[in-house]
Amino acid sequence: MTDNTQRPASGPNSAPELPTQYTPAEVEGPLYERWVERGYFDADAKSDKPPYTIVIPPPNVTGSLHLGHAFEHTLIDALTRRKRMQGYETLWQPGMDHAGIATQNVVERELGKEGKSRHDLGREAFVERVWQWKAESGGQIAGQMKRLGNGVAWSRDRFTMDEGLSRAVQTVFKKMFDDGLIYRAERIINWCPRCLTAISDIEVDYQDDDGELVSMKYGEGDDSVIVATTRAETMLGDTAVAVHPDDERYAHLIGKQITLPLTGRAIPVVADAHVDPEFGTGAVKVTPAHDPNDFAIGQRHNLESIEVLDERGIITAHGPFEGLDRFEARSAIVAAMRAEGRIVAEKRPYVHSVGHCSRCKTTLEPRLSLQWWVKVDTLAKAAGDAVRDGRVNIHPADLSQRYFDWVDNLNDWCISRQLWWGHRIPVWHGPNGETVCVGPDEQPPSGEGWEQDTDVLDTWFSSGLWPFSTLGWPEQTEDLAKFYPNSVLVTGYDLMFFWVARMMMFGLYAMDGGVPFRTIAFHGMVRDEHGKKMSKSFGNTVNPLDWMDKYGSDALRFTLARGANPGTDVPIGEDWVQASRNFANKIWNATRFAMMNGATIEGDLPPAEQLSATDRWILSRLNTVVAEADALYDDYQFAKLADALYHFAWDEVFDWYVELSKTTFMAGGDAAKVSARVLGEVLDVTLRLLHPIVPFVTETLWTTLTGRESVVIADWPTDSAFRDAAAETEIENLQQVITEVRRFRSDQGLQPGQKVPARLDLSGTSLAAHEAAIRQLLRLQPEGDSFNATATLPVAGATVALDLSGTIDVAAERKRLAKDLAAAEKEKAQAEGKLGNEAFLAKAPDNVVDKIRGRLAKAEADIVRLQNQINNLPSA
């Protein structure tokens, strides 16, 4: 298990001693700079090592490190650090996303402070201004990633708008256009009146808003119908009323014309099976230009589409409402209809689901618009098939159905955005309606009347190419041959639709059926310690840099990893980060103690027959933990992994093995030398196991312990298959004796350092060799001539007799315990009374009954414990 592959930078005896305290702020920055300078995170396509590739989910150039980034990056970094130690040519590909809408909004706000708009600058000057902003202010997240310890290949840093990735985008667009997978069509889209662009369905945030439901009468007399709407302003664009063809109430109206109020226009009543006759009045107003369902009805019945709202949500229809904002018009139109006696019913507030822009939170407007689309049917099928046939594995597996539900029902994707910042659509329109799509090596058409399309592509279009565009595609590069497909994608389940499905579609399409990654490992969202979503409006957001400054990056990383159960959300609180800081301190102090006592990795381990049971026990446990760690890493069980390493390191190595070794070290001699070598071995392997999650403290300790260059490039521990069940049983029995006697001492009110005379009967057990350790750890003195066994504890086949004469006030202690026993018996009686009452059980909620059962179980356990304590008291 010892790593002998690196040439020592200096001998262990010449290594500097560890300071008495670990100070992360003094260690982390210089260590990270050293790692980067030495090229540990670089990836070589010419290497004959097997590849291991992970791309960073590219954070927005406008962003800064939040806890979600820190969480995700911790998991990816742990995976890549381990694989690097296992001998893989490891590439963690960094980069950032140009974030079209978000970045344009930021720069437009900056211009607003100068009293200007993007239109004042013009398109070219505005785009140049965005590039300038990116160079000066964007990408601060890179520095924060370094603070966290991210082992990314910085020399390969990419940006979705850089030259190489832009070439990839244009190549894919051209290929899809020529294959008939990209087309232009007029359809209803989600429109943001604030961002002035279309957005895709999955960029819509739905929330329940307080609105109004207004029922209005169209037509007159027997030729009238009542329709209900939450968007009264759209009635100005109605071109029909629709009813179900089998609805007898309206059979006489089908095919007739009725008058649309306030406009005087005649509109038809059409029969359409889409209408639900059981909902409301069974008649619906049809506004094809401003509702997706109405647009479909309009297509089926050749209805006119009349736009009455402009791009900013302002009424354009001629008349008294022209120029009003959509919400102002809503109230004005209801008032006008009320004045004509056409309001039949009004319901306020009417809570209903309303779509909002995920970027600026503005209420969206369904709008008929000419946009560019991706035809997704064959692409989505391929993306589903790749998971179904096992070429791509989703982890955890229970999220597969959610993935299938999406890709199996995917609508065509609106990819055009009415922005200036982004990849401009490579299509030129001619003076006579010609359309020419231009590839990256082709000249666009020139001459009078030819203009490039003004729209840019949805940001997710370029992000969808990330696994292969970052490797130099469309060129057939060495990087592409070596590192594609990616080994695993680690991302949040919230990006399943935004990003993951699109990478699957693009990868399978552009790479001739080659999947973009072998495994998709989904993680959850970071929440506060109460499980509540983190939000500025809730006041519970945390800047991870604050916690890293206060407790160190390792503490934050370990806390995040320890909460990372696959696909589930992660609660986190400052107390937990503080506890992880304490763990880092524990590692530091234990290693410092070990080195002060000669812990070393020099030379081979002695053969098993020369080792004590304690030594064989810890080596057996060490190998078991190595095997467990490998299995948990391969299953992406970060929480279980961190917990297993925590308890092994703290409980077994630091609390038990180190403590049990103290007597050996005090005695000196050959046994002490053996224990020093074993302790060095255990620390060496434990630090290597911990390194991927807590890289800074382990690097400092490991290099000091071993005198070698860096744990970053050390060998990952392997299971030597050494197991010693007998030694494990022996030490488990020893632990049981020490634990039980400590508990008894505590129950009797003895101070931890208070010495007590004791007689140990270890005959017939394997514990005789541990008597010195038992006495030292339990503060047990030799029995002496006047020994009086006032309490006897049979534990694990051994007997520990204690003389408590004069150490406690027996009468006072008996009185206290009797009082506690009476209270426990009363609690038991009350709980049994309630649980025996059938009437109570019939009415009480399940959680209340469960709580009472818990109280009963606790009371019964307390009674047994207290009776044992009383029985073990010495005679008065």
Side-chain angles (χ1 to χ4, degrees):
M1 289 181 290
T2 298
D3 169 34
N4 292 310
T5 61
Q6 300 179 65
R7 180 172 56 84
S10 60
N13 293 331
S14 63
E17 291 186 2
L18 291 170
T20 56
Q21 290 185 328
Y22 175 53
T23 309
E26 297 176 2
V27 170
E28 294 174 352
L31 267 188
Y32 190 84
E33 289 179 10
R34 189 182 314 152
W35 292 335
V36 174
E37 288 170 1
R38 293 179 177 178
Y40 293 158
F41 306 141
D42 294 341
D44 182 5
K46 298 181 185 298
S47 167
D48 58 2
K49 297 178 182 178
Y52 186 79
T53 315
I54 296 182
V55 295
I56 193 171
N60 288 353
V61 68
T62 58
S64 60
L65 189 72
H66 55 65
L67 275 178
H69 288 123
F71 172 53
E72 184 169 78
H73 294 186
T74 294
L75 305 186
I76 298 175
D77 197 41
L79 290 172
T80 53
R81 284 179 181 270
R82 172 179 176 249
K83 285 296 182 181
R84 189 178 294 112
M85 295 171 74
Q86 286 182 315
Y88 285 77
E89 193 62 34
T90 302
L91 170 60
W92 182 8
Q93 173 66 54
M96 288 182 290
D97 193 286
H98 66 279
I101 294 178
T103 305
Q104 180 157 320
N105 283 346
V106 168
V107 178
E108 285 196 84
R109 283 196 296 269
E110 293 296 315
L111 285 175
K113 296 176 183 177
E114 303 171 13
K116 298 178 182 178
S117 73
R118 61 182 165 119
H119 300 284
D120 294 325
L121 272 65
R123 184 167 192 144
E124 284 190 21
F126 176 77
V127 171
E128 181 59 35
R129 179 69 176 261
V130 180
W131 278 109
Q132 179 184 340
W133 174 88
K134 189 256 181 187
E136 295 175 355
S137 306
Q140 61 176 308
I141 198 170
Q144 296 165 332
M145 287 166 58
K146 295 175 181 178
R147 280 289 313 277
L148 191 65
N150 290 3
V152 300
W154 287 113
S155 62
R156 295 169 171 269
D157 198 16
R158 303 304 299 268
F159 180 53
T160 51
M161 286 282 285
D162 69 26
E163 183 178 353
L165 270 66
S166 295
R167 180 178 177 83
V169 167
Q170 194 172 354
T171 300
V172 166
F173 189 99
K174 168 69 172 174
K175 177 176 170 57
M176 296 180 77
F177 182 90
D178 290 346
D179 288 347
L181 295 176
I182 287 181
Y183 64 95
R184 199 180 191 207
E186 192 174 48
R187 292 184 181 174
I188 294 287
I189 46 87
N190 302 297
W191 181 267
C192 178
R194 160 62 184 80
C195 298
L196 300 180
T197 183
I199 65 173
S200 65
D201 291 343
I202 56 176
E203 293 171 300
V204 180
D205 288 341
Y206 287 96
Q207 66 184 49
D208 288 339
D209 286 357
D210 286 344
E212 61 181 3
L213 181 66
V214 181
S215 297
M216 306 181 294
K217 184 175 72 171
Y218 286 8
E220 305 294 340
D222 292 338
D223 290 344
S224 66
V225 294
I226 295 172
V227 297
T229 182
T230 59
R231 301 165 65 219
E233 68 278 9
T234 63
M235 69 159 291
L236 300 176
D238 286 358
T239 55
V241 170
V243 298
H244 194 276
D246 298 330
D247 194 334
E248 295 181 358
R249 293 172 296 176
Y250 303 111
H252 67 291
L253 287 178
I254 295 174
K256 287 188 176 181
Q257 301 276 324
I258 61 174
T259 301
L260 180 66
L262 304 184
T263 68
R265 278 192 293 112
I267 59 175
V269 177
V270 299
D272 195 281
H274 169 77
V275 179
D276 180 1
E278 302 298 324
F279 183 78
T281 63
V284 296
K285 59 190 286 299
V286 181
T287 322
H290 294 284
D291 184 272
N293 293 322
D294 293 1
F295 178 77
I297 293 175
Q299 293 284 295
R300 289 193 289 271
H301 298 278
N302 297 315
L303 300 176
E304 182 182 6
S305 293
I306 301 176
E307 295 184 51
V308 296
L309 289 166
D310 70 6
E311 61 183 8
R312 298 182 183 275
I314 304 299
I315 297 293
T316 59
H318 294 303
F321 311 107
E322 185 177 5
L324 292 180
D325 171 80
R326 54 184 167 157
F327 300 116
E328 295 173 333
R330 182 175 299 172
S331 299
I333 287 172
V334 171
M337 292 287 280
R338 189 183 298 112
E340 291 190 5
R342 292 186 176 276
I343 299 298
V344 177
E346 298 177 70
K347 183 177 182 180
R348 296 187 185 88
Y350 177 71
V351 179
H352 62 131
S353 181
V354 177
H356 294 258
C357 176
S358 62
R359 297 293 181 187
C360 69
K361 309 309 177 186
T362 299
T363 300
L364 296 173
E365 197 65 45
R367 185 168 186 251
L368 186 62
S369 182
L370 184 62
Q371 301 285 344
W372 289 94
W373 303 81
V374 169
K375 183 177 174 60
V376 301
D377 51 358
T378 58
L379 301 174
K381 182 179 185 303
D385 289 346
V387 175
R388 286 188 169 96
D389 64 24
R391 283 175 289 156
V392 176
N393 295 307
I394 288 180
H395 188 87
D398 57 8
L399 287 179
S400 297
Q401 188 56 51
R402 188 173 174 184
Y403 173 82
F404 294 138
D405 289 344
W406 176 255
V407 297
D408 291 349
N409 298 283
L410 200 57
N411 295 319
D412 284 1
W413 171 20
C414 177
I415 57 171
S416 47
R417 299 292 180 267
Q418 289 64 55
L419 304 171
W420 287 355
W421 172 245
H423 293 101
R424 194 165 176 181
I425 288 177
V427 170
W428 272 255
H429 303 288
N432 299 311
E434 303 97 329
T435 298
V436 175
C437 182
V438 177
D441 298 317
E442 300 172 351
Q443 290 294 322
S446 59
E448 185 177 349
W450 283 94
E451 293 184 352
Q452 185 176 359
D453 198 286
T454 57
D455 290 349
V456 300
L457 287 165
D458 179 7
T459 298
W460 297 104
F461 191 99
S462 52
S463 299
L465 313 182
W466 193 246
F468 53 90
S469 63
T470 52
L471 297 173
W473 188 91
E475 306 304 325
Q476 296 306 306
T477 64
E478 288 183 327
D479 286 344
L480 195 66
K482 177 74 172 181
F483 296 113
Y484 189 88
N486 292 184
S487 306
V488 62
L489 173 72
V490 178
T491 190
Y493 60 69
D494 59 320
L495 291 184
M496 182 184 292
F497 315 130
F498 286 96
W499 190 43
V500 176
R502 286 164 178 173
M503 283 190 289
M504 288 285 285
M505 291 190 293
F506 278 134
L508 290 162
Y509 172 75
M511 300 301 293
D512 298 321
V515 297
F517 21 74
R518 303 293 187 193
T519 298
I520 307 168
F522 285 116
H523 60 72
M525 304 296 102
V526 177
R527 297 180 177 271
D528 71 12
E529 58 192 306
H530 305 294
K532 190 175 183 180
K533 179 181 178 181
M534 286 191 172
S535 167
K536 290 181 179 178
S537 60
F538 296 153
N540 62 350
T541 57
V542 174
N543 182 346
L545 293 177
D546 293 341
W547 281 353
M548 286 191 280
D549 289 341
K550 193 171 183 180
Y551 303 110
S553 298
D554 285 332
L556 177 61
R557 289 171 61 114
F558 193 78
T559 305
L560 291 167
R562 205 171 181 188
N565 289 299
T568 61
D569 291 344
V570 182
I572 184 172
E574 185 170 1
D575 289 349
W576 306 341
V577 185
Q578 184 175 356
S580 295
R581 188 272 312 273
N582 295 343
F583 179 50
N585 289 341
K586 184 76 171 181
I587 301 170
W588 184 273
N589 293 332
T591 304
R592 186 169 179 272
F593 165 83
M595 294 185 66
M596 289 171 61
N597 284 275
T600 179
I601 65 163
E602 294 302 309
D604 295 332
L605 280 172
E609 58 269 17
Q610 294 180 20
L611 300 176
S612 69
T614 308
D615 294 334
R616 287 182 279 113
W617 160 72
I618 197 62
L619 291 174
S620 181
R621 288 292 304 129
L622 180 65
N623 277 286
T624 299
V625 170
V626 169
E628 288 176 356
D630 281 330
L632 292 170
Y633 259 119
D634 291 341
D635 199 33
Y636 306 100
Q637 295 281 357
F638 294 100
K640 292 180 180 179
L641 167 70
D643 207 50
L645 295 179
Y646 174 90
H647 285 294
F648 174 71
W650 190 307
D651 299 346
E652 298 187 77
V653 178
F654 304 146
D655 274 0
W656 282 109
Y657 184 72
V658 169
E659 289 298 315
L660 291 171
S661 298
K662 284 181 178 179
T663 54
T664 306
F665 289 135
M666 289 172 62
D670 291 341
K673 292 179 181 179
V674 169
S675 287
R677 179 63 188 88
V678 171
L679 182 53
E681 178 79 6
V682 172
L683 286 174
D684 166 30
V685 174
T686 302
L687 291 171
R688 282 188 277 149
L689 289 173
L690 284 167
H691 172 73
I693 302 177
V694 285
F696 294 108
V697 67
T698 52
E699 170 81 340
T700 306
L701 294 174
W702 190 85
T703 53
T704 305
L705 171 70
T706 66
R708 295 180 178 176
E709 182 180 332
S710 174
V711 70
V712 177
I713 54 173
D715 287 344
W716 180 252
T718 55
D719 178 6
S720 71
F722 174 78
R723 299 290 191 278
D724 192 324
E728 291 195 34
T729 300
E730 181 174 327
I731 301 305
E732 286 171 6
N733 289 337
L734 175 61
Q735 291 171 334
Q736 188 177 354
V737 169
I738 293 172
T739 301
E740 288 300 317
V741 176
R742 278 178 173 167
R743 181 180 295 117
F744 176 77
R745 286 176 57 106
S746 176
D747 288 343
Q748 302 307 315
L750 297 176
Q751 295 300 313
Q754 189 172 353
K755 294 183 178 181
V756 177
R759 176 187 298 144
L760 304 183
D761 182 1
L762 307 177
S763 58
T765 75
S766 57
L767 300 178
H770 303 285
E771 180 168 353
I774 293 172
R775 287 190 177 276
Q776 179 181 327
L777 293 176
L778 292 174
R779 304 296 189 269
L780 303 180
Q781 294 178 319
E783 54 195 87
D785 295 334
S786 59
F787 181 78
N788 178 25
T790 58
T792 302
L793 303 177
V795 185
T799 302
V800 180
L802 303 174
D803 183 355
L804 301 180
S805 303
T807 60
I808 60 173
D809 185 337
V810 176
E813 186 66 10
R814 192 180 299 278
K815 184 177 180 181
R816 182 185 70 81
L817 293 173
K819 182 179 178 181
D820 291 347
L821 179 61
E825 288 173 337
K826 181 178 179 182
E827 174 73 4
K828 176 188 176 185
Q830 290 176 341
E832 286 178 334
K834 289 184 177 180
L835 294 174
N837 186 333
E838 294 297 332
F840 169 79
L841 293 176
K843 296 179 180 179
D846 290 344
N847 64 317
V848 172
V849 175
D850 289 342
K851 188 174 181 180
I852 294 172
R853 288 190 178 121
R855 284 167 50 193
L856 175 60
K858 181 179 183 303
E860 290 174 336
D862 286 344
I863 290 170
V864 172
R865 175 179 58 82
L866 292 165
Q867 285 177 335
N868 286 336
Q869 288 180 235
I870 292 172
N871 293 337
N872 284 318
L873 282 173
S875 302

